[in-house]
Amino acid sequence: MSYSAHVDTFTRDNLPPAEQQPEFLFDLPELKFPERMNCATELLDRHVAEGRGGRLCIQAPGLRWTYADLQQHANRIANVLVNDLGVVPGNRVLLRAPNNPMMAACWFAVMKVGAVATATMPLLRAKELKHVIAKARVSHALCDLRLAEELKLAAAESPELQHILWFNDASVDGLEAVMAKQSAEFRNVDTARDDTCILAFTSGTTGQPKATMHFHRDVMAACACWPPHVLRATPDDIFMGTPPLAFTFGLGGLLLFPLSIGASTVLLELGGPQDLVDAVLKYQATILFTAPTSYRAIAAIAGPLRGSTLRICVSAGEALPAATRALWKEATGIEMIDGIGATELMHIFISADEAHALPGATGKVVPGYIACVMDDDGKPVAVGQVGKLAVKGPTGCRYLADERQAKYVKDGWNYTGDAYSLDGDGYFHFHSRTDDMIISAGYNIAGPEVEDALLRHPKVAECGVIGVPDSERGQVVKAIVVLRPGNEPGPATAKELQDYVKQSIAPYKYPRQVEFVASLPRTETGKLQRFRLRQTTQGENK
Ligand code: 3UK
């Protein structure tokens, strides 16, 4: 490790022990990073220094910032952090806002001062924020005034959080007023490539969220692998999407990747599907990032996107059912790019571009990474067999002081917790989360396969398939279904769906129980919360 710029050594002190760290691979020439690097210099200041300061960088309603504008905002905020709030390199700075330009400027300011950005999902409540603050020992916070309430409640019970500044705040002590008094020049802290710059909390569908640690070099590695090899955007592309910047899917797709190539991004505080369609047309977006469920929701009203500027649609966060891929292509003519990423690995490591998409498969391993499907002893299984997905590359899992590190990383491999198979052509096929595999009368059944079959039925809007306890079979397959408007729930529809599944996949996989609901529980990142389905569902066909 190179000497650290961190004065506050908390993150380095809490790295997992060496023997529990994943193996890192830096074989690609673009992954040979210099010892000293600050990702803000690479992603932001470099463009201004090389004469691209006048290029469009960020758009939002009523706002257009060039690269020079973003740099000046970030520099002023960096000066506030150091001069007014006493931030030293290594301090954790909590960031909290909907996706908007000030959130992006604050993120870069934190990088510039050599501190550690701890971004939080907008919907988190005080109790969850308290956990984040305590776990990351957050000393400072920059927060959008509109999300103040829960942070104030959390701060009242968090003695370590000493300083909060509010932004998008017109008052005399708001960040905007304070930063106006500071210089627009800032010399970035000379951080080491292996200084932590992000603490990203896992979206945690179960258990306490874990804090993953990423270095300056990890940020640049994420920009060097999937984007140039699969996304292949150009400096004239206009990026847009829904994932929060606090989620590494959103941070990469909506901020790091466009800036890494001098392109521009549109940051939106979004409402429903119609807002997104309208925004693509209004800003002439060319690249869209969102989750499968959102593509499904938009497909019905996506007609106007056909023949628009939109040319690339990226889906991640959970498996993309082949049915949803087909629906989107029918509506817009666009073949989606699916990709599996994880907070632990920062971004996408298995994916396929439009030309190589294989419906029902996630794709091939992204250059820079290697992936294997393993058995329970950590040995690769045969082609076509289902096993545990294990990955290695330039990024990898480092949980901050967490014994679950030993579960995610074994023998240098990152185990994502997903059941996958690999086919003879190098395509990886998602089956389910390892813990979600349904075992019924001795058969292994992956819920997502049954979901894909159900989603093809014209009456089905959304569905989730889980295993429920059964005295005879151990578990039985149960489908929880949201019907499209105008369809009647009831035994007749349940029977119709059951027969439909029996005809399209192996009959033993059909849902013996079907329940109709108005909506499914999802995380802020669009993931179905199966554990909540398991908790709340009971009974026979209802
Ligand atoms: C699941 C997928 C099948 C899978 C993420 C892109 O989702 C992201 O990170 P999280 O930590 O969750 C990771 C887990 O989500 N998953 C994600 N994408 C897919 N399963 N197909 C997919 N395309 O279980 C994985 O282990 O919330 C996604 C980029 C950055 C991210 N952090």
Side-chain angles (χ1 to χ4, degrees):
M1 280 193 143
S2 19
Y3 73 91
S4 175
H6 284 185
V7 175
D8 172 347
T9 59
F10 173 76
T11 54
R12 198 164 269 205
D13 297 342
N14 284 286
L15 282 169
E19 69 279 6
Q20 285 184 18
Q21 297 224 9
E23 187 187 339
F24 291 98
L25 308 176
F26 302 103
D27 300 332
L28 295 181
E30 55 269 41
L31 297 175
K32 312 270 182 235
F33 297 114
E35 283 205 7
R36 317 297 308 168
M37 67 189 308
N38 183 312
C39 66
T41 311
E42 305 300 316
L43 294 172
L44 175 54
D45 302 281
R46 178 175 61 91
H47 296 293
V48 181
E50 293 173 2
R52 293 184 293 277
R55 276 186 68 86
L56 180 61
C57 182
I58 299 183
Q59 296 187 77
L63 176 150
R64 281 169 75 89
W65 277 358
T66 61
Y67 274 83
D69 291 332
L70 176 61
Q71 185 190 43
Q72 284 171 22
H73 279 80
N75 284 350
R76 287 184 195 278
I77 299 167
N79 281 313
V80 169
L81 289 174
V82 173
N83 302 332
D84 293 342
L85 302 188
V87 168
V88 299
N91 282 168
R92 275 73 56 217
V93 180
L94 185 141
L95 300 175
R96 181 168 169 73
N99 287 1
N100 60 43
M102 275 299 279
M103 171 72 168
C106 289
W107 191 87
F108 276 107
V110 173
M111 297 302 115
K112 283 171 166 277
V113 305
V116 181
T118 308
T120 59
M121 295 291 198
L123 290 182
L124 291 195
R125 308 297 295 263
K127 183 168 169 282
E128 296 146 316
L129 288 170
K130 239 181 82 178
H131 168 75
V132 169
I133 295 164
K135 179 89 202 177
R137 301 254 189 91
V138 168
S139 53
H140 299 75
L142 301 173
C143 176
D144 192 305
L145 188 60
R146 290 161 300 162
L147 296 180
E149 199 175 327
E150 297 292 326
L151 184 59
K152 280 184 180 161
L153 289 173
E157 294 177 35
S158 304
E160 55 277 77
L161 177 51
Q162 292 289 321
H163 304 274
I164 310 181
L165 267 182
W166 311 101
F167 58 89
N168 291 323
D169 174 357
S171 72
V172 287
D173 41 5
L175 178 59
E176 279 84 353
V178 178
M179 66 191 266
K181 297 182 203 139
Q182 294 287 342
S183 160
E185 306 276 318
F186 187 84
R187 182 192 283 271
N188 295 350
V189 169
D190 181 29
T191 41
R193 66 182 168 201
D194 46 15
D195 276 334
T196 294
C197 63
I198 300 179
L199 284 183
F201 278 78
T202 56
S203 42
T205 46
T206 48
Q208 277 287 20
K210 295 159 271 196
T212 67
M213 310 165 86
H214 296 294
F215 299 163
H216 284 270
R217 75 158 199 245
D218 300 324
V219 170
M220 298 319 298
C223 295
C225 292
W226 179 77
H229 290 108
V230 183
L231 182 67
R232 297 205 309 275
T234 74
D236 291 324
D237 271 309
I238 300 174
F239 289 60
M240 179 183 282
T242 62
L245 292 175
F247 180 29
T248 60
F249 178 38
L251 180 69
L254 301 177
L255 193 61
L256 309 178
F257 302 163
L259 268 65
S260 71
I261 55 167
S264 72
T265 186
V266 183
L267 295 179
L268 295 171
E269 305 179 9
L270 281 166
Q274 189 64 51
D275 295 341
L276 191 58
V277 172
D278 292 347
V280 169
L281 297 172
K282 175 172 171 210
Y283 293 94
Q284 307 198 319
T286 59
I287 302 185
L288 184 62
F289 285 79
T290 189
T293 157
S294 160
Y295 283 110
R296 208 173 159 82
I298 305 168
I301 51 163
L305 299 181
R306 184 184 280 276
S308 73
T309 50
L310 188 64
R311 64 184 191 94
I312 298 180
C313 295
V314 179
S315 170
E318 61 175 5
L320 174 64
T324 302
R325 177 187 280 286
L327 195 68
W328 187 253
K329 192 166 181 185
E330 233 165 76
T332 64
I334 301 172
E335 188 73 74
M336 272 190 248
I337 298 184
D338 186 10
I340 176 173
T343 308
E344 287 81 354
L345 285 122
M346 184 85 180
H347 221 272
I348 293 174
F349 46 83
I350 292 174
S351 183
D353 65 22
E354 311 84 324
H356 298 91
L358 177 66
T362 313
K364 297 185 179 186
V365 70
V366 169
Y369 291 86
I370 57 174
C372 248
V373 179
M374 304 286 206
D375 65 15
D376 289 343
D377 301 325
K379 296 203 181 64
V381 300
V383 162
Q385 295 286 312
V386 180
K388 297 175 176 173
L389 182 66
V391 190
K392 263 183 210 179
T395 59
C397 177
R398 305 177 198 99
Y399 290 136
L400 175 116
D402 200 309
E403 53 193 32
R404 290 169 288 186
Q405 176 76 17
K407 197 169 170 245
Y408 203 95
V409 177
K410 283 188 210 116
D411 310 322
W413 290 93
N414 298 278
Y415 280 82
T416 64
D418 297 295
Y420 259 86
S421 62
L422 173 62
D423 70 19
D425 298 320
Y427 280 90
F428 286 83
H429 298 248
F430 175 81
H431 291 263
S432 73
R433 291 285 303 167
T434 326
D435 300 341
D436 289 337
M437 192 62 84
I438 304 164
I439 304 174
S440 184
Y443 288 112
N444 277 4
I445 301 166
E449 186 188 355
V450 185
E451 287 162 15
D452 183 49
L454 281 165
L455 288 172
R456 288 166 197 276
H457 192 285
K459 289 186 179 170
V460 176
E462 275 193 282
C463 66
V465 169
I466 54 170
V468 292
D470 179 80
S471 54
E472 216 175 297
R473 296 186 160 79
Q475 281 187 313
V476 291
V477 178
K478 170 157 193 169
I480 294 98
V481 176
V482 180
L483 290 174
R484 287 187 193 277
N487 294 295
E488 270 300 302
T493 310
K495 173 89 176 28
E496 186 182 333
L497 297 181
Q498 289 169 322
D499 290 343
Y500 185 77
V501 172
K502 279 188 202 165
Q503 280 160 25
S504 51
I505 54 177
Y508 68 85
K509 297 174 182 171
Y510 89 95
R512 285 173 189 270
Q513 296 180 22
V514 179
E515 181 178 339
F516 296 102
V517 295
S519 67
L520 294 175
R522 290 193 181 275
T523 64
E524 216 177 328
T525 60
K527 284 192 216 300
L528 181 62
Q529 293 173 303
R530 289 169 201 279
F531 75 99
R532 281 185 57 198
L533 282 184
R534 284 192 284 261
Q535 281 165 0
T536 55
T537 183
Q538 349 92 0
E540 290 293 315
N541 295 354
K542 291 197 292 189

